Amino acid sequence: MPPAAPPAVPATEAFSPATADLDTWPVPVQVASLWEGQMTAVAAIRPALAAIAAAVEAALPRLRASGRLIYAGAGSSGRLAAQDGAELEPTFDWPASRTILLVAGGPRALTEAVENAEDDTDSARRDMQAARVGPDDVLIALAASGRTPYTLACVRSATAAGALTIGVANSAGSALLDLAAHPILIETGAEAIAGSTRMKAGTSQKIVLNLLSTAMMVGLGRVHAGRMVDMRARNEKLRHRAVRMVRDLTGCTEQAAVAALAGTDGRVKPAVLVVHGLTPGDAASALARHDGRLRAALRSVTAGAGGG
């Protein structure tokens, strides 16, 4: 019997002849070449925009039903995913309890390499079981090669639990894209340094994560008029930003904005409604009636004032 053929090499592991002499080039030429690769990574996302939008639209009903965002990945992909998830709470006041970060090798893998972690499918299944994944949850799984065992096991477990699965990979025809309900292929091709997917593939994954999570938060009413109106003002810079947002959105004075924010625990959305004449309690009730959407709450306030 002839020996089995070796597995096909993912596109992200291929060698690029264009950079074979990278280590012999002057530093300015090296930097320019690497920069060109980053621009290629950005451009590679455009063909996937429709798939990204479809994934967001599919995720929104589940997230509105109190579902959670679950991120899964290994190595660079896992660290990028964890960064995206960690930023949702301070930026959009997305509850930390509704964000699950699964990285092969556990928290230690966020700052150092953990040997063989990406191959540990048993760990993936344990992580998913501990997360108690359900039908309202949304899993975003990332793997440049599209075949990382830990990540694939997370997707299989999420699918079995009825969760929505979104897979982001940089290699066509990969298992991750086959398994995910919403596959997102970003064909970044061979890296300047073969296999170093922290470069083009990593850049593209970071952008895709930005697009996915930001569009989800917009769809959940956590952005108004291009501003992060659900931001938590936890330091001086953000407190100034909150005052500026209230002033910009209402045209009020700085003193009025500061007073409105003082009555709403620093929250911008109810403060805007307070400036429009509501009490803090009525502002909170108006937002609750409109699923936290400031635009809809403002319309109701304006309509009520007009009717009076």
Side-chain angles (χ1 to χ4, degrees):
M1 178 181 294
V9 176
T12 52
E13 297 288 330
F15 165 70
S16 173
T19 51
D21 297 323
L22 178 70
D23 54 302
T24 70
W25 297 342
V27 170
V29 178
Q30 292 177 24
V31 171
S33 178
L34 296 173
W35 169 78
E36 288 173 358
Q38 298 296 289
M39 294 303 101
T40 300
V42 175
I45 296 167
R46 185 175 181 83
L49 292 180
I52 293 169
V56 171
E57 290 172 337
L60 285 173
R62 300 186 189 224
L63 298 178
R64 290 183 185 124
S66 299
R68 298 170 300 169
L69 268 174
I70 304 169
Y71 294 80
S76 297
S77 296
R79 296 182 191 105
L80 289 168
Q83 178 189 3
D84 191 77
E87 291 174 349
L88 297 183
E89 193 268 346
T91 306
F92 302 108
D93 199 28
W94 179 254
S97 61
R98 294 177 64 188
T99 304
I100 307 293
L101 307 177
L102 302 181
V103 181
R108 183 164 68 93
L110 294 175
T111 56
E112 60 183 277
V114 177
E115 188 175 359
N116 297 319
E118 72 172 46
D119 299 323
D120 192 346
T121 56
D122 289 338
S123 173
R125 286 187 284 270
R126 287 194 299 270
D127 289 345
M128 292 295 287
Q129 185 175 18
R132 299 181 181 275
V133 179
D136 287 334
D137 294 329
V138 176
L139 173 73
I140 302 176
L142 302 99
S145 67
R147 63 182 191 181
T148 305
Y150 176 92
T151 308
L152 298 181
C154 287
V155 175
R156 291 188 179 99
S157 293
T159 301
L164 181 76
T165 56
I166 301 169
V168 182
N170 300 84
S171 298
S174 58
L176 177 56
L177 299 176
D178 290 337
L179 290 173
H182 285 271
I184 298 173
L185 169 63
I186 313 296
E187 293 194 87
T188 47
E191 299 284 359
I193 301 171
S196 181
T197 52
R198 58 180 289 273
M199 299 177 71
K200 287 197 298 182
T203 295
S204 72
Q205 289 180 358
K206 172 57 177 163
I207 294 172
V208 171
L209 286 166
N210 287 344
L211 299 180
L212 285 168
S213 60
T214 303
M216 288 175 189
M217 294 299 119
V218 172
L220 293 169
R222 295 172 182 268
V223 174
H224 174 81
R227 295 168 174 86
M228 54 176 80
V229 288
D230 266 319
M231 171 203 77
R232 300 304 304 273
R234 290 173 170 157
N235 58 47
E236 196 64 21
K237 179 189 75 172
L238 297 182
R239 284 189 283 273
H240 283 300
R241 182 183 295 169
V243 170
R244 188 167 63 249
M245 280 194 278
V246 173
R247 293 190 64 187
D248 289 347
L249 293 171
T250 65
C252 73
T253 65
E254 181 170 352
Q255 292 78 7
V258 170
L261 286 163
T264 60
D265 192 30
R267 293 180 176 271
V268 171
K269 289 198 292 193
V272 168
L273 295 174
V274 166
V275 172
H276 280 275
L278 273 61
T279 66
D282 288 342
S285 297
L287 288 166
R289 286 195 302 273
H290 296 283
D291 296 323
R293 296 177 181 278
L294 180 56
R295 196 177 299 276
L298 281 169
R299 280 199 297 265
S300 70
V301 170
T302 304

